[in-house]
Amino acid sequence: IIKLSEGLLVGAVVICGQYNGIQDYKKVGKALSNVFWLTVIFGLCVSSFLYFCAYYIYYFYGVTPKMISLGMPLLKLRAVSVFLMCVYFGFVGFLRGIKNTHVPMVVSILGGIFFVFIDYVLIFGCYGMPECGIMGSAIASIIQYLVMLIAVFLYIVFDKENRKFGIEFFSRPSLSMMKSLLLVSWPVMIDKVTLSLAHVWLGYRLAPMGKYALASFSAIKDIERIAILPALACAQVITFLVSNDYKVQNWEGIKVNIKKVTFIASILVCAILMTVVYNPHYFVRFFDHKGSFTDLSAKVLPIISVLVFFDLLQLILSGALRGAADVKVVMTVRLMVCILFFMPVSYVLSSFNWSSPLTNFVAVYGTLYMANAIMSVFYIQRFRGGGWKKQTV
């Protein structure tokens, strides 16, 4: 659901960024108004699904009736924070589209501070507050996104720099602009969900290797996500840089920015990975206090760290293509590579009778990064051609 919401965020970045690039500020403001209504409608649909179908969601997972009774109130509260999150993402997409990354950062930090404090207070009942247990965390999440949403809304409305956009949140939505937003957003939703499901599939194929292999996968995945954070940030940066240069046809500037951002992301990710690889046992122990799977994870990490570059490259290139509104190519490449290469190859490799559990683990896990490498090849070929220059929104 978060990945689906991120699709709308990317759509807002692309549309607002392209109009901002040609200095058509009134259309930027109009785009924000339509983004607002779209995220409200989407958020209401998703939140209603979570709230009214909470029982069936837990039932689908096959958990016990006791867990269903414990989880339903939690999920219903989380449904409220999901709605607030969707609307907040729309505002963040607007700010990134106009190259304002400072305010989303500050607001995100502010929301994080509120969440950590209120989460602790409500779970354990500190400072005279009632002890809410796990429900306290759900309430804290609502307060977090409410604070973030109010903060970013007030900034957009009252900051003098934003007056040039002529923002009217409650103006009549434009069906043509909403259509453009959806045309850009839905392929992004699908390709983001595709990669998320690829990790689910990977865990499914590693599960027969035993609980320690599955625990190693979880730990390594989390460490890799931390290491790849600079690349994720750079992918968002290149999206709004490309979108701002696209309609003015600054093709050379776009290619130069892609190279610069890729270089910066590579340096930052490499620095983190080298730190981890230098003493992998130390970092794995954060996830394995008993030392049950530390040795396996520590042997896998150096190998996987080399392959992470392919993930970095496809993130940057896909972000650049999204900035050019070439979202269907990104979606198609990810779908085809995952369906035609990643899933069948990982299935076959996981079925082999390997002599070494380490070899088995690396072979299956490595297929995801090889899939990323294949995606990168397609993206590079796309940039070498001229089709990416002919997208319209």
Side-chain angles (χ1 to χ4, degrees), residues 2-3 19 33 52 101 114 130 147 174 197 215 252 265 361 388:
I2 292 175
K3 290 299 179 184
Y19 287 131
S33 174
F52 293 107
T101 56
F114 265 87
V147 168
S174 167
L197 292 176
E252 190 59 33
F361 189 96
W388 66 279

Side-chain angles (χ1 to χ4, degrees), residues 274-311:
M274 287 180 67
T275 303
V276 173
V277 171
Y278 178 74
N279 190 357
H281 287 82
Y282 173 79
F283 290 97
V284 175
R285 286 194 189 100
F286 283 104
F287 304 88
D288 182 23
H289 297 293
K290 295 182 179 179
S292 303
F293 56 87
T294 297
D295 288 339
L296 174 62
S297 300
K299 292 175 182 177
V300 172
L301 261 175
I303 303 171
I304 295 299
S305 297
V306 177
L307 301 176
V308 166
F309 175 76
F310 296 128
D311 194 10

Side-chain angles (χ1 to χ4, degrees), residues 8-17 20 25-33 35-36 87-101 104 152-153 155-157 159 161-167 169 181 240 244:
L8 289 176
L9 186 154
V10 173
V13 171
V14 173
I15 299 293
C16 294
N20 187 65
Y25 299 129
K26 294 300 180 183
K27 281 195 175 180
V28 175
K30 188 68 175 176
L32 173 59
S33 174
V35 167
F36 169 73
V87 182
Y88 169 74
F89 277 179
F91 289 159
V92 170
F94 160 74
L95 290 173
R96 288 178 180 168
I98 62 173
K99 297 186 178 181
N100 187 335
T101 56
V152 75
F153 175 80
Y155 172 80
I156 291 173
V157 171
D159 185 73
E161 289 294 319
N162 295 330
R163 291 178 183 174
K164 62 186 178 184
F165 300 115
I167 300 168
F169 284 108
L181 281 164
F240 69 71
N244 275 265

Side-chain angles (χ1 to χ4, degrees), residues 104-239:
M105 176 195 71
V106 173
V107 172
S108 181
I109 293 172
L110 177 67
I113 292 172
F114 265 87
F115 176 78
V116 170
F117 176 73
I118 298 172
D119 190 52
Y120 175 79
V121 169
L122 292 181
I123 287 177
F124 299 106
C126 302
Y127 306 112
M129 299 299 292
E131 184 178 338
C132 301
I134 193 172
M135 298 299 292
S137 185
I139 297 170
S141 180
I142 294 174
I143 296 173
Q144 174 196 10
Y145 278 106
L146 184 61
V147 168
M148 293 165 67
L149 182 58
I150 291 173
V152 75
F153 175 80
L154 291 176
Y155 172 80
I156 291 173
V157 171
F158 292 106
D159 185 73
K160 293 180 180 179
E161 289 294 319
N162 295 330
R163 291 178 183 174
K164 62 186 178 184
F165 300 115
I167 300 168
E168 297 178 3
F169 284 108
F170 299 103
S171 63
R172 185 178 178 181
S174 167
L175 293 180
S176 60
M177 189 169 285
M178 272 201 172
K179 181 181 177 181
S180 297
L181 281 164
L182 288 172
L183 286 174
V184 174
S185 299
W186 74 262
V188 180
M189 293 178 179
I190 291 176
D191 77 60
K192 283 182 172 289
V193 170
T194 298
L195 280 190
S196 296
L197 292 176
H199 282 91
V200 175
W201 170 263
L202 193 58
Y204 177 71
R205 298 316 310 166
L206 290 170
M209 300 179 196
K211 60 182 181 181
Y212 295 136
L214 201 56
S216 293
F217 165 65
S218 179
I220 293 170
K221 182 175 66 174
D222 287 341
I223 292 172
E224 186 247 350
R225 282 177 175 174
I226 295 171
I228 208 72
L229 280 175
L232 289 170
C234 287
Q236 295 185 15
V237 169
I238 197 61
T239 297

